[in-house]
Amino acid sequence: MDFGCCGAAASDLGCSATSCYSPLVKALLLFAVAFLLAANLRADSVSGAVIREAGAIYLEDLLMKPAHLATVADAPIYYHSDMDRYLGTLRKGQIVELQAVGEKTYRVRGVAQQGQVVGWVEPKYLNPLKKDFLDNLRQNAARLEQVKALISKNEVAINMTPEEVQQSLGKPTKKTSKLDAAGRADTWEFIRYESVPQQSVGRDQFGNLVSSIIYVKVPVGKLAVTFANNLVTALEQTEGHLAGGGAQVTTIPAPFTVNY
């Protein structure tokens, strides 16, 4: 009696493991694999847990509130901005959440046939964005890159916000406020200390003179940052410098208002 592959170990007879299964079992296995792959793809597209695409401007970095657009035609949506990996179709008239703006595509969150998806669509399928919205978005994105460079060097500049200054220098040592006819001004003071060795002379329990080294904290860098209307308007540095340079004669653009 010949058992073939199913009567012995497949590796012993040179057969593949799937050759022992009936056509129905094979079809069920292929369906299960396809279902798992589709489920993983949809989970990624719904959560938006993907690596950011180079060159795209992500609105969450610049906006307090999300922007919403309507589809003006049935819009195919893709996993990547280069229109790779089709996810489904957003039906005409649907309101979608705009998440990112690329050179030729927009990243949106919406609902396709299989449920909620996050992916990239061509702008022609959406009602157009206002020109000043796009201009301000791009200018703020360029400003953000300047701010990141300053923070990486622990520096501050004119027109930085309080949040950006704190990201760069940490919490201030002291805060003061001044209110006059011109309005309110807030000053943050940052002080850096170092432990400096000093020689101390005293007597021991037997009355003998002894010398010892003690460490005293002394300020070696002091920076005063003044804010008006939530933007840095003045920098004053005394007693050396803070780590990373502290105050530099640098002015960056103020944040542009981005509302849709």
Side-chain angles (χ1 to χ4, degrees):
M1 183 181 294
D2 184 9
F3 292 94
C5 293
C6 298
S11 59
D12 294 337
L13 298 175
C15 304
S16 65
T18 57
S19 62
C20 298
Y21 303 137
S22 68
L24 177 59
V25 173
K26 290 180 182 179
L28 289 174
L29 286 173
L30 290 174
F31 175 78
V33 171
F35 178 81
L36 290 174
L37 289 174
N40 287 336
L41 177 59
R42 181 173 179 268
D44 286 345
S45 68
V46 170
S47 66
V50 295
I51 297 175
R52 289 191 169 199
E53 304 251 358
I57 301 172
Y58 286 79
L59 273 65
E60 67 178 0
D61 295 336
L62 306 170
L63 294 177
M64 296 300 293
K65 296 181 180 179
H68 294 89
L69 300 173
T71 54
V72 296
D74 288 352
I77 185 168
Y78 298 86
Y79 191 72
H80 293 296
S81 61
D82 60 359
M83 300 294 135
D84 182 37
R85 293 173 67 180
Y86 172 75
L87 295 175
T89 299
L90 305 173
R91 293 305 180 193
K92 178 181 178 180
Q94 181 181 160
I95 302 298
V96 298
E97 178 186 314
L98 179 65
Q99 294 192 338
V101 174
E103 292 185 6
K104 297 181 179 179
T105 51
Y106 295 165
R107 187 168 191 253
V108 301
R109 180 188 296 273
V111 178
Q113 303 96 314
Q114 74 276 27
Q116 192 176 86
V117 292
V118 177
W120 297 86
V121 300
E122 294 182 72
K124 66 182 181 180
Y125 295 110
L126 305 169
N127 60 301
L129 289 170
K130 299 174 184 177
K131 185 179 183 303
D132 59 343
F133 174 86
L134 281 174
D135 291 343
N136 289 347
L137 198 66
R138 293 190 175 102
Q139 290 180 75
N140 271 338
R143 179 188 180 278
L144 182 61
E145 293 306 311
Q146 291 180 279
V147 170
K148 287 180 179 178
L150 289 165
I151 291 174
S152 70
K153 297 181 289 185
N154 301 116
E155 295 179 357
V156 294
I158 302 297
N159 285 331
M160 287 180 73
T161 67
E163 294 77 15
E164 292 164 349
V165 170
Q166 188 160 324
Q167 287 179 48
S168 184
L169 301 181
K171 292 184 178 180
T173 309
K174 181 181 178 182
K175 291 183 179 181
T176 58
S177 297
K178 178 182 178 182
L179 187 62
D180 57 23
R184 173 173 172 163
D186 296 289
T187 300
W188 290 6
E189 193 173 89
F190 298 86
I191 303 175
R192 184 169 66 91
Y193 294 92
E194 284 186 359
S195 295
V196 177
Q198 291 186 0
Q199 186 176 28
S200 175
V201 178
R203 294 184 183 275
D204 63 15
Q205 59 181 331
F206 304 107
N208 301 317
L209 288 173
V210 293
S211 176
S212 61
I213 300 296
I214 61 173
Y215 288 85
V216 179
K217 286 178 63 177
V218 296
V220 294
K222 186 180 291 186
L223 173 67
V225 182
T226 302
F227 300 92
N229 298 318
N230 285 321
L231 294 175
V232 174
T233 57
L235 300 169
E236 183 181 0
Q237 186 167 280
T238 58
E239 297 186 19
H241 59 83
L242 296 175
Q248 301 293 321
V249 185
T250 305
T251 300
I252 62 173
F256 292 88
T257 302
V258 179
N259 292 316
Y260 186 76

